[in-house]
Amino acid sequence: MSAELLPGDEVEVEVGPVAHGGHFVARHEGRVLFVRHALPGERVRARVTSGGPGDRFLRADAVAVLTASPDRVTPPCRYAVPGGCGGCDLQHVSLPRQRALKAEVVAEQFRRLAGEDVEVEVEPVPGDRDGLGWRTRVEFAVDEAGRPGLRPHRSHAVIPVEDCLIASDGVRGAGALARDWPGQRAVDVVAPSEGEPVCVPVPDGEPHAPAVTEHVAVGEWSQDFTLSARGFWQVHPGAAATFVGAVLEMLEPAEGERAVDLYAGVGLFAAALADAVGPTGAVLAVESDPGAVASAADNLAGRESVEVRAGRVDRALKPLVRQGIRADLVVLDPPRTGAGKGVIADLVRLGARRIAYVACDPAALARDTAYLRERGYRRTALRVFDAFPMTHHMECVALFEPAPESD
Ligand SMILES: C[S@@+](CC[C@H](N)C(=O)[O-])C[C@H]1O[C@@H](n2cnc3c(N)ncnc32)[C@H](O)[C@@H]1O
């Protein structure tokens, strides 16, 4: 019997398919290894980074490539290496292959969790610059000496860095990495589409943050959104407009319709929907974060057909269902955990003719797809956007419509 693998041990393995989370599956003497910095078909020397006897799998880094994939490239950033910054999982992969791998992950999640076969092409977000220079919001960690840096994968350590190549020009030019931040836990750097970048130190506890303005334009439609620099906003500069465009195209809102925007943030989809359904229509936006609710109220002010409701979606839907309120259209854009069975059970009772689901985790989307199908909605469209190049993350926009009676 062979010795059990422990962190620090190195083994030669053949690398198999991509798995959700930025790693690749390999096997050694019956044990499963999730290997980072590798590619399918490669032979690598993998160093175990965590796990041990009794664990279902081990984690490892490819520390030497013995047979390289043709899709392997030299990472543009010197920190994107085993043991380096954990932010970019895929810098060693050509951009077309990164997108193909993400498409495989989406297909695998849908097959496993929704029992559906999907074929998707992962689309670049307009304005993409070879996958670099896109991140308009970066939280730099600060070490005990006050030096800013980034964290390795699954670690609380801080690696001092001089630059971050996926950060936007505004973030890189803000100067946060050129000085120390004594006494701070982190520093958030935000480069909004309008105005100057801001550096917001993050002490322990809730920090005060300045407001920033983001301009979004989709075709003829445009609006400025004001929000806290620490509030939720899509980090790719082209993402907000791209997702609004995709949602409007899928929902095809008409004058006078009633729409519900769940997990509404600062009102991005609610604003676009309100203008599409016009003053004879109605939009209800539901959001739980008090800061986002206040921003949404400001951003949507002047549109009498819009109501912003503060509260959790799971609680806010119940009274609507009890009162028999109906909606023609629903947008939902939940956090990574997805909406979940309870929320789906309530939202289908609004009787919408179309539901657009914006998802940052394809696994959560696939689970909710299964719940929607159980309750009479079938998925009729799916787009996937590479809104986080060089990382394993992506954004999906799916459309659901009532299934014909015979389904
Ligand atoms: C992925 S963001 C989407 C925000 C917005 N749709 C946008 O695109 O800018 C998810 C939002 O859901 C909010 N949220 C998280 N859990 C929630 C819940 N249970 N009920 C209501 N809102 C929630 C968060 O505060 C956040 O604003």
Side-chain angles (χ1 to χ4, degrees):
M1 170 124 179
S2 62
E4 272 289 357
L5 291 176
L6 293 170
D9 288 348
E10 292 189 5
V11 286
E12 268 186 40
V13 290
E14 205 70 54
V15 180
V18 63
H20 187 24
H23 40 236
F24 300 84
V25 184
R27 286 194 160 70
H28 178 77
E29 297 184 351
R31 299 299 314 269
V32 172
L33 275 78
F34 284 153
V35 187
R36 286 167 59 80
H37 305 280
L39 267 170
E42 290 189 330
R43 187 155 186 84
V44 302
R45 188 144 47 77
R47 182 182 299 149
V48 177
T49 51
S50 71
D55 288 330
R56 272 191 312 123
F57 58 84
L58 302 152
R59 295 180 189 277
D61 281 344
V63 290
V65 181
L66 310 174
T67 314
S69 159
D71 297 316
R72 178 172 280 275
V73 296
T74 304
C77 170
R78 66 189 151 117
Y79 305 110
V81 291
C85 167
C88 289
D89 328 272
L90 298 175
Q91 279 210 14
H92 63 289
V93 185
S94 71
L95 209 44
R97 185 69 194 274
Q98 289 185 27
R99 292 181 179 143
L101 290 169
K102 292 181 192 192
E104 276 179 48
V105 168
V106 173
E108 212 255 330
Q109 298 306 308
F110 269 83
R111 202 163 40 241
R112 205 164 60 79
L113 299 168
E116 288 185 8
D117 285 327
V118 299
E119 240 179 70
V120 283
E121 194 185 312
V122 175
E123 306 171 44
V125 169
D128 181 73
R129 293 171 9 197
D130 292 334
L132 298 174
W134 52 270
R135 215 181 159 97
T136 59
R137 282 151 171 79
V138 179
E139 183 181 294
F140 291 104
V142 173
D143 70 12
E144 288 192 350
R147 284 173 308 182
L150 289 162
R151 295 193 193 281
H153 183 58
R154 296 170 64 83
S155 166
H156 294 297
V158 180
I159 297 173
V161 297
E162 285 170 9
D163 200 2
C164 171
L165 297 187
I166 61 168
S168 67
D169 293 345
V171 168
R172 293 173 75 192
L177 294 173
R179 52 158 286 194
D180 285 351
W181 297 88
Q184 309 298 336
R185 197 161 46 81
V187 55
D188 272 344
V189 186
V190 176
S193 66
E194 307 303 298
E196 293 301 308
V198 291
C199 297
V200 189
V202 186
D204 286 327
E206 200 47 43
H208 170 76
V212 293
T213 301
E214 298 282 359
H215 181 75
V216 180
V218 183
E220 307 270 277
W221 181 85
S222 69
Q223 167 153 351
D224 283 350
F225 291 84
T226 302
L227 65 147
S228 157
R230 300 210 67 225
F232 177 87
W233 189 256
Q234 288 293 343
V235 295
H236 193 295
T242 302
F243 303 160
V244 169
V247 163
L248 291 179
E249 213 177 283
M250 288 183 185
L251 292 181
E252 296 188 292
E255 288 255 339
E257 286 196 306
R258 299 163 68 94
V260 176
D261 178 9
L262 303 176
Y263 312 92
V266 301
L268 175 66
F269 297 112
L273 281 170
D275 293 343
V277 300
T280 57
V283 177
L284 172 65
V286 181
E287 164 62 42
S288 63
D289 176 67
V293 169
S295 300
D298 288 346
N299 292 326
L300 297 164
R303 294 177 171 101
E304 278 171 17
S305 57
V306 181
E307 183 194 340
V308 180
R309 207 167 279 187
R312 294 171 54 105
V313 167
D314 49 336
R315 296 192 191 136
L317 278 177
K318 301 254 178 246
L320 301 183
V321 170
R322 264 199 310 273
Q323 291 159 37
I325 305 269
R326 312 284 288 178
D328 302 295
L329 306 168
V330 174
V331 182
L332 73 160
D333 183 6
R336 283 195 80 69
T337 43
K341 200 169 189 165
V343 166
I344 298 291
D346 286 336
L347 88 80
V348 297
R349 294 176 67 187
L350 301 175
R353 69 172 177 82
R354 288 192 181 177
I355 299 171
Y357 191 139
V358 182
C360 57
D361 183 358
L365 173 63
R367 273 193 299 274
D368 287 338
T369 296
Y371 300 142
L372 278 158
R373 200 179 49 234
E374 281 165 17
R375 293 178 183 271
Y377 277 83
R378 64 178 178 154
R379 185 184 50 75
T380 50
L382 174 63
R383 292 179 73 183
V384 186
F385 296 98
D386 195 12
F388 310 89
M390 305 292 170
T391 80
H392 72 272
H393 296 285
M394 65 198 98
E395 196 84 15
C396 302
V397 185
L399 176 65
F400 296 88
E401 295 177 76
E405 292 292 320
S406 57
D407 270 22

